[in-house]
Amino acid sequence: MNEKNNTLLIYTLLYFGFLYVPVLFLPIFSFNDANFMSFPLAGFTTEHYEEMWSKRNLHKALWASIKVGVVASVVSTTIALFAAKAFARYKFRGEKISYGGIMMPFLIPEIILAVAILVIWVNLGFKLGLVPVTIGHTLFCTPFAMLILIARIEGFDFSLEEASRDLGENAWGTFFRVSFPLYLPGIIAALLLSFIISFDEFILAFFLTGSDATLPMYMWGQMRFVQKLPHVLALGAVIIVFTTFIVLLAFWLRNVGQGKAKKDITMKL
Amino acid sequence: MIKSWRKIYAKNDNIKAYTLLSPALILVILAMVVPMVLMLSFSMFTQVSMMEIDYTFTFQRYIDFFQKNLLVTLLIKSIKISFLVTLITLITAYPVCYYIAFYVKKNKMLWLVLLTLPFWTSYLLRVFSWKIILGTKGVINSSLINAGILNEPLTFLMYSETAVVITLTHAWAAFALLPLYVSLDKIDFSFIEAGRDLGLSRFEVFWKITFPLSLPGVIGAILIIFIPTVGDYVTPALLGGIEGRMLSNMIQAYFGKINNIPMGAASATIMLTTVVLITIIVSNVTKRLTQRLT
C-alpha cells in the first residue's frame, strides 16, 4: 500500500501512550518527595532509593528470586533445547499431542497449576518453600524457552551436523562443536527471557513459597501499607529498567546471525 | 546386542525424537498431569475439620458449588469479565496491527518490539501502576480535583469491574498484538488490490477479504487472552474490591483462610472445565466461520 493513513497513525501513537504511560508512573513517583501518589509532584528526592539499602527482607527476597530464576531458567532452557530439537528435526508419531502437552502449562490458568502443585506437595509431606516454586517456574518457563529455540533451530542447516558426523566426530562432539555454537544466541535469549518470567512470576510463588518470599511476594506484602509504598515504587522502577535491558538484549540475540529467518521468529512469540 | 540397538536407534526417528522429548514430557507429567489428577481426586473428598479430610468419594463438592449463589455468581462474573477484556483488547489492538502490517514500511520489527516491551515488565507492577492511576487519591482523581473540575473523587474508577477490565486490557495487550500482527502481515496484498479493482468499497474489502484472512490471528488472540483472564487473581485482588472479585480469589481463600481444600479443588476443576469448554466452542465456531467466509 503506498498511501498514508494519518488517522491510523494517530490511533497507533495513542495506543503506544496507553501501553507506556501507566508503566512510566512508577519511576516518576519514585522520585517524588511524598507518601501519596498524586499530582502535583511534591519535590525531587532519591530518599526512596536509599531506603532500599536498609531493608533486610528485601535483600532476602531478591536473593531468593535470583536463586529460583537461575535454576528455573537453566533447567527449563536445557529441557526445552532437547524438545525443540526433536520438533525442529524429526517428523514423528504423536508430534502434535506432545507439542500440545508441553505447551499446556503456558495455556492453562496459572492458578490451577499453582493449586495442583500445592496439593501434591503438601500431601507428599514436603514443606512449602523455594523448591516447589522452582519446579512450578521450570514447568511454566519451558514452553516459552521451547518456542524461542524452535524458531532458532528451524532455520538451521542440519547437513552441517551430518558433515561433522561423516568427518568422524561423535554425537557429543558434533553437538558441542557444531550445533551448540550455532544455537547459542537462541539459548542465551531463552535463558534471559525464562529468567525474567520467573523473576516476575507471582501466582505460583504466592501459593507455594510458604515463608520464603520472592521479590514479587515481597512487593505484594508491602503494597498494603501506604507509608511503605514509596520504596516499592523505587524498587519497581529499578526492576523495570533491569527487565527492559535484559529483554532488549534477548530480542537482539534472537536475531543475531539469522538474516532471512528473522521474520519467522517474531511469529513464534 | 548393543550394536543392533544402535542401528535401530539410528534409523528410527520416532525413538530419536522421544529420547529428546523425554525430559520435557517427564516434567509435564510429574509437575502438571499427576498433580492435576490428584487435585481432581481431592475435589471428591470432604474436609471434616481443619486438619482432617474424609477420603470417601463423593460429588457433593460439585453440588455444593452450584448451590452456593456466591460461587456461581463469581464464575459467571469471571467469564463475563474475561469476555469483555478479550473483546476490548482485540478491538483496540486490531487497528494498531493493521497499521503496522500495511502502512509501516521500514523497521516493522522495531515497532513490534516496542509494542511488546511493556508486556515484559513485571505483571504485578503493571497492575500496581493502574492502582496509582485509578485510586481515590490517584493520578486521575487528584489531577481532576486540582484542576477544579471535580469536588469529590470518582469512586467508580477504583475497586470495580471497570478497573479490572481496564487493567487487564492493558496487561494482555501483547497477547493480542502478536497473533493479530502475524496473521495480518501474512496476507497477500494482491487479494486486497484485486478486491479494489473489482470495485469493492474500502469497507467491503475489509469485511470480505482482510478480516476473514486475519481470523487465525483473531482466534489465537481470543484463546490466549481469555484463558489467563478467567483465572486471574492479582488484578481483582488489588483493584477489584468487592464488586470486582472473581472466582480465583475464592479459590485462594479455600486454600488459605477458609481451609477447605476439597472445595477449593472442586472450584479449580470447574474453572478448568469452563476454560476447556470455551476453548472447544471458540475453535469450532471460528472454524465454521472461516470456512463460510473464505
Side-chain angles (χ1 to χ4, degrees):
Chain A
M1 216 179 279
N2 291 318
E3 60 225 276
K4 282 186 177 169
N5 191 329
N6 286 329
T7 328
L8 269 183
L9 174 64
I10 290 165
Y11 177 80
T12 303
L13 294 177
L14 284 175
Y15 194 82
F16 265 96
F18 167 67
L19 287 182
Y20 276 86
V21 171
V23 182
L24 292 179
F25 278 118
L26 288 176
I28 291 173
F29 283 111
S30 71
F31 289 111
N32 188 27
D33 194 7
N35 273 336
F36 290 110
M37 278 131 286
S38 55
F39 284 116
L41 295 171
F44 182 86
T45 176
T46 53
E47 187 190 315
H48 307 317
Y49 286 86
E50 284 151 29
E51 209 185 325
M52 287 196 294
W53 293 111
S54 60
K55 304 269 177 192
R56 296 265 330 260
N57 283 340
L58 186 148
H59 304 158
K60 234 179 102 187
L62 174 66
W63 180 232
S65 274
I66 292 175
K67 277 194 288 191
V68 172
V70 167
V71 177
S73 58
V74 170
V75 177
S76 60
T77 304
T78 313
I79 292 174
L81 178 63
F82 290 124
K85 174 115 196 214
F87 289 118
R89 180 82 165 88
Y90 302 110
K91 287 243 167 291
F92 53 96
R93 239 185 262 169
E95 197 175 337
K96 271 196 172 163
I97 291 182
S98 312
Y99 186 79
I102 297 171
M103 290 307 294
M104 269 298 264
F106 170 60
L107 293 173
I108 61 176
E110 250 181 284
I111 193 169
I112 291 173
L113 290 180
V115 164
I117 295 175
L118 175 73
V119 169
I120 198 168
W121 196 259
V122 171
N123 276 280
L124 285 171
F126 297 136
K127 256 186 77 182
L128 291 177
L130 296 182
V131 179
V133 178
T134 312
I135 295 174
H137 283 186
T138 309
L139 180 72
F140 190 63
C141 292
T142 304
F144 274 97
M146 191 176 80
L147 286 180
I148 297 165
L149 288 166
I150 288 180
R152 181 83 203 180
I153 298 175
E154 260 175 357
F156 182 75
D157 186 357
F158 290 108
S159 57
L160 289 171
E161 283 181 354
E162 275 156 29
S164 155
R165 296 299 292 272
D166 291 343
L167 290 169
E169 192 66 273
N170 65 19
W172 281 109
T174 303
F175 178 76
F176 279 111
R177 292 194 188 180
V178 180
S179 325
F180 187 73
L182 286 164
Y183 299 162
L184 197 61
I187 292 173
I188 297 173
L191 277 173
L192 292 175
L193 292 180
S194 308
F195 180 82
I196 290 297
I197 289 167
S198 161
F199 194 76
D200 286 339
E201 200 287 331
F202 175 73
I203 289 285
L204 287 161
F206 184 56
F207 277 85
L208 300 171
T209 44
S211 55
D212 308 329
T214 59
L215 206 53
M217 284 292 295
Y218 172 82
M219 290 194 282
W220 175 261
Q222 303 292 304
M223 278 178 194
R224 289 147 196 245
F225 312 105
V226 178
Q227 68 276 18
K228 288 187 177 166
L229 277 181
H231 93 277
V232 177
L233 291 176
L235 178 61
V238 175
I239 294 178
I240 288 176
V241 172
F242 165 75
T243 315
T244 309
F245 174 72
I246 301 259
V247 171
L248 285 177
L249 184 67
F251 275 130
W252 177 73
L253 275 168
R254 273 200 319 188
N255 294 336
V256 168
Q258 274 223 315
K260 216 184 90 215
K262 231 179 195 175
K263 230 177 172 181
D264 301 320
I265 296 171
T266 19
M267 296 183 179
K268 298 285 171 182
L269 237 184
Chain B
M1 184 65 189
I2 290 170
K3 235 181 186 174
S4 66
W5 187 83
R6 274 204 176 149
K7 237 182 207 168
I8 294 171
Y9 181 84
K11 276 190 183 160
N12 194 328
D13 276 3
N14 279 330
I15 298 177
K16 274 189 205 163
Y18 279 102
T19 317
L20 287 169
L21 281 183
S22 54
L25 292 175
I26 289 170
L27 175 72
V28 168
I29 289 166
L30 288 185
M32 190 184 83
V33 179
V34 174
M36 275 172 48
V37 171
L38 195 74
M39 181 185 86
L40 189 69
S41 29
F42 261 80
S43 72
M44 296 176 201
F45 299 151
T46 312
Q47 187 94 31
V48 189
S49 66
M50 279 311 262
M51 297 300 289
E52 214 180 322
I53 287 175
D54 175 5
Y55 294 98
T56 29
F57 271 86
T58 165
F59 285 105
Q60 192 57 41
R61 299 293 81 69
Y62 292 92
I63 299 168
D64 288 352
F65 185 97
F66 287 104
Q67 275 175 348
K68 281 188 183 157
N69 269 332
L70 173 67
L71 290 175
V72 178
T73 318
L74 287 181
L75 175 66
I76 294 170
K77 200 193 282 170
S78 297
I79 296 172
K80 184 186 131 196
I81 289 181
S82 309
F83 178 77
L84 276 174
V85 169
T86 311
L87 190 72
I88 297 173
T89 315
L90 274 178
I91 293 175
T92 48
Y94 200 97
V96 176
C97 299
Y98 188 88
Y99 181 79
I100 298 175
F102 294 128
Y103 291 96
V104 173
K105 305 260 158 26
K106 282 180 205 160
N107 295 328
K108 284 187 180 189
M109 276 295 297
L110 184 68
W111 282 71
L112 224 66
V113 168
L114 285 177
L115 275 175
T116 45
L117 199 56
F119 171 73
W120 289 99
T121 60
S122 161
Y123 168 58
L124 195 61
L125 288 173
R126 274 178 292 150
V127 176
F128 182 55
S129 355
W130 281 101
K131 197 173 174 162
I132 299 176
I133 297 169
L134 302 173
T136 24
K137 285 179 181 158
V139 173
I140 293 184
N141 277 322
S142 65
S143 318
L144 288 176
I145 289 171
N146 281 325
I149 299 170
L150 285 179
N151 289 322
E152 286 188 4
L154 300 166
T155 44
F156 71 88
L157 283 177
M158 189 64 171
Y159 302 124
S160 63
E161 271 182 50
T162 320
V164 174
V165 173
I166 295 176
T167 308
L168 288 175
T169 304
H170 178 257
W172 302 146
F175 283 161
L177 291 164
L178 285 172
L180 286 178
Y181 170 77
V182 169
S183 65
L184 281 168
D185 197 48
K186 266 189 201 154
I187 295 176
D188 187 345
F189 199 66
S190 53
F191 286 137
I192 294 171
E193 274 174 344
R196 294 222 175 133
D197 292 346
L198 290 169
L200 295 181
S201 72
R202 281 182 143 225
F203 188 72
E204 281 171 318
V205 168
F206 179 75
W207 271 113
K208 294 190 172 158
I209 301 168
T210 321
F211 184 69
L213 286 172
S214 70
L215 270 177
V218 176
I219 302 162
I222 289 177
L223 292 179
I224 64 178
I225 295 170
F226 193 91
I227 294 170
T229 315
V230 174
D232 190 49
Y233 172 82
V234 176
T235 307
L238 268 182
L239 294 158
I242 290 170
E243 186 203 306
R245 254 193 312 183
M246 284 162 69
L247 188 58
S248 1
N249 306 86
M250 207 54 212
I251 294 178
Q252 198 276 324
Y254 278 126
F255 282 93
K257 263 189 303 199
I258 305 177
N259 193 36
N260 187 339
I261 291 158
M263 200 58 217
S267 311
T269 310
I270 288 169
M271 181 192 273
L272 185 62
T273 317
T274 313
V275 165
V276 172
L277 280 178
I278 287 169
T279 309
I280 294 170
I281 294 170
V282 169
S283 25
N284 275 329
V285 166
T286 36
K287 217 178 260 171
R288 291 234 179 103
L289 203 67
T290 324
Q291 276 165 1
R292 194 175 297 171
L293 285 171
T294 48

